[in-house]
Structures are given as C-alpha cells and as structure tokens.
Amino acid sequence: MKKNILCRLFTAGAALIFSAMAAFPAFAADPPMLSGSLEAVTETAVTGWAFNRLAPDEKVTVEIAVYGEGGPGSCTLFTAEASLPRDGGTESGTENSAFSCTIDWSKLSGDTFTVMATAISGTVRQPLSQSLEYKKSEPVQSYAEGTAAAHAEAGELLGTFIASGYCNCKKCSGGSSLTYSGTVPKARHTIAADLDYYPIGTRLFIDGVVYTVEDMGSGIEDNRLDIYFETHDEALAFGLQSITVYSVR
C-alpha cells in the first residue's frame, strides 16, 4: 500500500514538473560565433564562405582538409582566407566572406577525395556545414606543367581577377541564346568582361585556355569576369574564384 502511495505521489509530482516545463518555453541557444559552408569543388579549386558573427569585419581563416581514399591517414591540409566578394551575402559583414583555395589534384595520390573545412578565429574552431566529394575525371595538369604551345599563348600578366560562371539559362542570361556581341557562346571560349577595359574580341589566357571577350553582364566591372559554361550545374560548381589572367601573344 505504501509503495502504491509513493508511486502515486511521484507520478503526480512528475506531472506537475512537466506541466511547469510546458508552460515556459525553452530558451534557444545562441548561434555559433563562426558559421559558413563549403559550396563547390572543381578541377582547380575548393570554394565556400565563412563568417564571424561577433566580429563581422574579421577575415576568417579556413582550414581545408582533403581526405584521399586511404581515409583520415591520407589527409592533406590547405588554408584560405574568407575575404572575397560573396554573391548573396546580405547580412552586415558577409559581403566579403567567400574563399577560394586552389588545389592541384594531380599532385595528390588517388582518384576520389572527400573535402571538409573548418573556420578558425583565434582558438575557436568551427566545422563548416557540408562535406564535398571530388573524383578525378582525367589527369589534371597544373599551369606550370602545361604544354609548350599553351605557354606560347601567354603574354603579359594582367593580374588576379575574380571570376564567376554563367550559362545561357533564364537564371543566368534571361534565356538568351546569343552573347552581347551576337555570337553563339561556347564553353572554354566565351567570356564576359567590362567592355570599357576589355572590348569585344579581346583574348585572355586563363588556366591554359584562351578565352575571347564576347559578352558583358550586370556587375561585371573592372577586374571581374564571367566564364561561360554549357550547363548551369557546371557554372554553379565553378562558383566564385580568384584567378590569374594573362594577355595573349
């Protein structure tokens, strides 16, 4: 009998406690100080963004870990600074929070890789959301290992540019099938530039490929370029990158 009374008292007490908890909403945890995400991995780079909520002007360091087929023991580390212009950055301080880390996959053994990243600020480390995979489709050559013919095309160094990708879909180009100059755009050939600096017909040497300025675009000003791709997925995967540009001999 005593046992039944104690059980009833415990049950009644527990009910009161749960009722009280239900009456007061739980306090939401503060968001992490650092946030960000990996966005794309291409044949030349890993891109994404990182941001310090408590110090919006800080240029956050990003540590990029590339794991080969051997797992954690085959990890190669790279670092980048999240300070490039970021499309879609609307929160104060996030406009220049993108990063791009150049990776020469030909120097890494194996064919399949898992890419993860961590944002770093002082002693604080925060893993970025999303991990990405990359598989070598064919041996990737670095610029220094290019053919003699490709080297012969490179002229004067024009500097480091910020480049994005686009295609002829409605989202990128309003669905137009022609460039501003009236040509049919082609991958590994067509590029959009600031026509005040690089008029229609200007040829630019980028990563072993000779591109021709045939297009223009909103926001494509000064040292900003838009590289044409056949599909929207390819353009999206290219992301926003820092690239080295040469004139053509």
Side-chain angles (χ1 to χ4, degrees):
M1 177 67 71
K2 289 182 180 178
K3 184 176 180 181
N4 288 337
I5 292 174
L6 289 174
C7 287
R8 290 173 184 174
L9 289 173
F10 177 80
T11 303
L16 288 173
I17 292 172
F18 284 117
S19 296
M21 290 176 64
F24 296 95
F27 290 100
D30 288 335
M33 182 180 88
L34 300 175
S35 61
S37 176
L38 284 173
E39 292 189 332
V41 56
T42 70
E43 291 184 354
T44 58
V46 172
T47 60
W49 64 277
F51 169 63
N52 186 340
R53 180 177 60 85
L54 301 182
D57 294 328
E58 178 186 353
K59 297 177 180 178
V60 175
T61 297
V62 179
E63 181 181 83
I64 300 164
V66 178
Y67 297 97
E69 294 166 317
S74 58
C75 176
T76 304
L77 295 178
F78 302 85
T79 58
E81 183 179 79
S83 59
L84 298 173
R86 178 188 168 212
D87 289 341
T90 56
E91 184 178 353
S92 177
T94 65
E95 294 88 351
N96 296 308
S97 59
F99 65 86
S100 177
C101 181
T102 300
I103 295 181
D104 187 347
W105 300 101
S106 68
K107 294 183 178 179
L108 303 180
S109 59
D111 294 315
T112 304
F113 304 89
T114 299
V115 181
M116 304 178 73
T118 301
I120 303 172
S121 176
T123 59
V124 178
R125 299 172 63 90
Q126 175 67 41
L128 300 189
S129 62
Q130 187 174 212
S131 62
L132 299 174
E133 290 190 356
Y134 178 78
K135 186 173 182 179
K136 294 179 181 178
S137 56
E138 58 185 25
V140 180
Q141 285 189 320
S142 67
Y143 174 79
E145 297 169 335
T147 63
H151 278 288
E153 296 280 6
E156 176 188 358
L157 173 64
L158 299 178
T160 300
F161 290 52
I162 300 299
S164 51
Y166 78 108
C167 67
N168 61 359
C169 73
K170 288 186 177 180
K171 187 173 182 179
C172 289
S173 306
S176 174
S177 59
L178 298 178
T179 65
Y180 175 76
S181 62
T183 62
V184 176
K186 294 182 292 184
R188 297 178 65 83
H189 172 80
T190 301
I191 198 167
D194 186 335
L195 303 186
D196 289 337
Y197 292 89
Y198 307 100
I200 295 294
T202 301
R203 298 198 301 162
L204 300 174
F205 184 85
I206 303 168
D207 289 336
V209 179
V210 175
Y211 290 91
T212 301
V213 176
E214 297 180 330
D215 216 346
M216 60 179 291
S218 174
I220 306 301
E221 300 177 348
D222 300 326
N223 285 8
R224 178 71 187 268
L225 300 173
D226 217 2
I227 298 175
Y228 179 81
F229 289 88
E230 290 291 350
T231 68
H232 188 70
D233 286 342
E234 290 176 299
L236 192 63
F238 182 81
L240 193 66
Q241 297 189 28
S242 177
I243 60 173
T244 302
V245 180
Y246 297 81
S247 64
V248 176
R249 295 182 188 275

